[in-house]
Amino acid sequence: MAKKWGIAAIILYAVYALAMYFYIFHISSGGIPDAIKGTVADPQTFMTERELYLSDEYSKIRNFLFFVVTPFEWLMYILILFMGLSKVFEKWADVGKWKVIQNGAYLFLLYLFTTVVFYPIDLYRYWLSKDYGIGTQTFASWMRDYVLDFWINFGTTLIVVLVLYWLIRRSAKRWWLYAWLLTIPFAIFMMYIQPVVIDPLYNDFYPLQDKELEEKILALADKADIPSEHVFEVNMSEKTNSLNAYVTGIGDNSRIVLWDTTLKSLTDEEILFIMAHEMGHYVEKHIYVGMASYIFSILIGLWLISKIMPWLIRKFGTILKIDNMKDIHSLPLMLLLISFLLFLSNPISNYISRYQETRADEYAMELTDDPEAAVSTFQNLAKAGLSEVNPPLLVKLFRYTHPPMLERINTVAKFASKESTE
């Protein structure tokens, strides 16, 4: 029976992947509305023919990968259960008398196996970025980051899994609530140490070196009533040609970070607009709103898993080869449900993020009052990242945490028109 279900799952995934291929490459097309053609939002006015071609091609490949890789993860977990691999890992991990050691060994075997399975996909993404002129990172540097990712993610996952299954054994009915309560300080702690412990493992961060530009940024920060000691630059040019800036951390460790690629590619006016945008996030406390939304979504997710997972085990436990939820070999089913729920929640979380980004754009335009710099900034960001300025609706809903560039440039145009009439 498990074999038949496994074959059915593979066929279903293949049909889905084929359907997504035709949707992404042959059916969907964001296009450019007639009212936008010839304006500053039309990519044909600021991108070369080759950039337009590469942008279209690169975006379609990345969109296709997004929509097929996550369901492939679900398929992998299903096959791990159907084929009995999860129980095999549990048997191999039966070392020592302590349950915590056994569960830790099981997680390492499962995590190593899934990493090996996904390595060709991750490697393809690395070479894809290099081929299209986005990535600049050497393979040795990429592998270093890949191994670093493995151990950091494994370490944090280990803590979460060990605590989670300990709670499930102690309280079969309320484990989800206790797990959520523990998540709150853990999430805050991780966000607090992110800028000063984790991020520096990957890149070098240092105070902004251009002192003349720093004075302009500090003046802008003073105008916005923002503490001025949190502006940093990071040497991202060793890894990418893309442009970016972001806000990270909380409390004393919060900081605004500029990529050195941004500093090298944009004018001072454009950089000031980006900084004003990040200041908008700071002023409107988007980090704290995001953290609260994240914690609330975990509560909903854990509650759903506490209801769905036992039902699945009761209904399909024989096929899934799961005896009891409290046994560690049930972990692939939990990871499958987490991945599935996260995928379904993407449109909601992305909508909230796009709203925050729009608010930050509006704040930046009010603070700088320089629509020309705003337009040229968005145009340069699109060129550097080969961005799809007007993606299809499905892609926008599931992938875009920022408004598409066409919308962002239109927001600037509306702001400039409003200002001129006042």
Side-chain angles (χ1 to χ4, degrees), residues 167-183:
L167 291 173
I168 292 172
R169 290 196 302 272
R170 294 294 298 269
S171 178
K173 292 184 177 180
R174 295 185 178 180
W175 65 267
W176 60 273
L177 180 60
Y178 301 141
W180 177 71
L181 291 173
L182 289 175
T183 294

Side-chain angles (χ1 to χ4, degrees), residues 364-399:
M365 286 182 284
E366 292 174 359
L367 189 62
T368 61
D369 193 23
D370 192 349
E372 291 81 8
V375 169
S376 60
T377 297
F378 291 142
Q379 290 176 340
N380 285 320
L381 288 172
K383 287 166 62 72
L386 294 179
S387 301
E388 191 174 20
V389 298
N390 191 33
L393 178 61
L394 193 63
V395 174
K396 175 184 172 181
L397 291 176
F398 279 88
R399 288 207 64 206

Side-chain angles (χ1 to χ4, degrees), residues 70-112:
T70 300
F72 176 75
E73 180 184 1
W74 308 340
L75 177 65
M76 177 188 64
Y77 289 135
I78 289 172
L79 294 179
I80 286 174
L81 292 169
F82 285 176
M83 295 170 62
L85 279 176
S86 188
K87 278 201 165 183
V88 171
F89 291 154
E90 185 180 40
K91 183 179 179 180
W92 289 351
D94 188 11
V95 292
K97 298 180 180 180
W98 297 91
K99 198 68 176 179
V100 65
I101 301 298
Q102 296 171 3
N103 288 354
Y106 169 89
L107 179 63
F108 178 77
L109 292 173
L110 177 65
Y111 202 83
L112 181 62

Side-chain angles (χ1 to χ4, degrees), residues 66 281 286 289-298 338-358 395-403:
F66 171 83
H281 286 305
H286 287 163
V289 172
M291 184 169 60
S293 301
Y294 172 72
I295 291 173
F296 177 74
S297 66
I298 289 178
I338 291 172
S339 178
F340 183 72
L341 291 174
L342 284 173
F343 185 79
L344 289 184
S345 67
N346 272 343
I348 298 174
S349 59
N350 287 346
Y351 175 82
I352 295 173
S353 177
R354 288 196 301 271
Y355 173 78
Q356 291 180 336
E357 294 298 333
T358 299
V395 174
K396 175 184 172 181
L397 291 176
F398 279 88
R399 288 207 64 206
Y400 274 60
T401 57
H402 290 60

Side-chain angles (χ1 to χ4, degrees), residues 75-299:
L75 177 65
M76 177 188 64
Y77 289 135
I78 289 172
L79 294 179
I80 286 174
L81 292 169
F82 285 176
M83 295 170 62
L85 279 176
S86 188
K87 278 201 165 183
V88 171
F89 291 154
E90 185 180 40
K91 183 179 179 180
W92 289 351
D94 188 11
V95 292
K97 298 180 180 180
W98 297 91
K99 198 68 176 179
V100 65
I101 301 298
Q102 296 171 3
N103 288 354
Y106 169 89
L107 179 63
F108 178 77
L109 292 173
L110 177 65
Y111 202 83
L112 181 62
F113 177 81
T114 56
T115 299
V116 171
V117 170
F118 271 89
Y119 179 78
I121 298 174
D122 296 330
L123 183 61
Y124 173 72
R125 282 173 163 163
Y126 164 73
W127 287 115
L128 180 70
S129 178
K130 293 271 285 188
D131 288 345
Y132 281 86
I134 305 297
T136 60
Q137 191 173 16
T138 65
F139 179 74
S141 174
W142 179 80
M143 275 302 303
R144 174 191 173 278
D145 286 353
Y146 197 80
V147 173
L148 192 59
D149 276 341
F150 176 89
W151 288 111
I152 290 176
N153 293 333
F154 172 73
T156 53
T157 305
L158 178 64
I159 295 171
V160 172
V161 168
L162 292 180
V163 172
L164 204 56
Y165 273 83
W166 178 77
L167 291 173
I168 292 172
R169 290 196 302 272
R170 294 294 298 269
S171 178
K173 292 184 177 180
R174 295 185 178 180
W175 65 267
W176 60 273
L177 180 60
Y178 301 141
W180 177 71
L181 291 173
L182 289 175
T183 294
I184 298 173
F186 183 73
I188 294 174
F189 172 74
M190 292 301 296
M191 290 192 69
Y192 184 77
I193 69 169
Q194 181 80 30
V196 294
V197 176
I198 298 176
D199 289 347
L201 295 175
Y202 294 89
N203 296 98
D204 296 325
F205 292 79
Y206 32 82
L208 193 62
Q209 295 181 339
D210 186 335
K211 297 306 176 183
E212 184 177 344
L213 176 60
E214 183 181 41
E215 289 182 8
K216 296 178 181 178
I217 293 174
L218 294 180
L220 197 66
D222 183 64
K223 184 178 178 182
D225 294 323
I226 294 176
S228 58
E229 64 269 20
H230 303 302
V231 181
F232 291 80
E233 64 175 284
V234 55
N235 61 330
M236 287 301 298
S237 58
E238 297 178 358
K239 298 181 178 180
T240 182
N241 286 318
S242 294
L243 313 180
N244 197 14
Y246 60 90
V247 179
T248 186
I250 57 175
D252 295 339
N253 285 351
S254 63
R255 56 175 62 170
I256 298 175
V257 179
L258 276 165
W259 289 10
D260 63 340
T261 52
T262 302
L263 293 167
K264 295 173 183 176
S265 302
L266 301 183
T267 65
D268 283 5
E269 289 73 24
E270 292 166 342
I271 292 172
L272 288 175
F273 175 80
I274 289 180
M275 294 303 298
H277 171 97
E278 300 305 329
M279 291 174 189
H281 286 305
Y282 187 97
V283 168
E284 300 208 357
K285 304 187 184 305
H286 287 163
I287 290 179
Y288 299 98
V289 172
M291 184 169 60
S293 301
Y294 172 72
I295 291 173
F296 177 74
S297 66
I298 289 178
L299 173 64

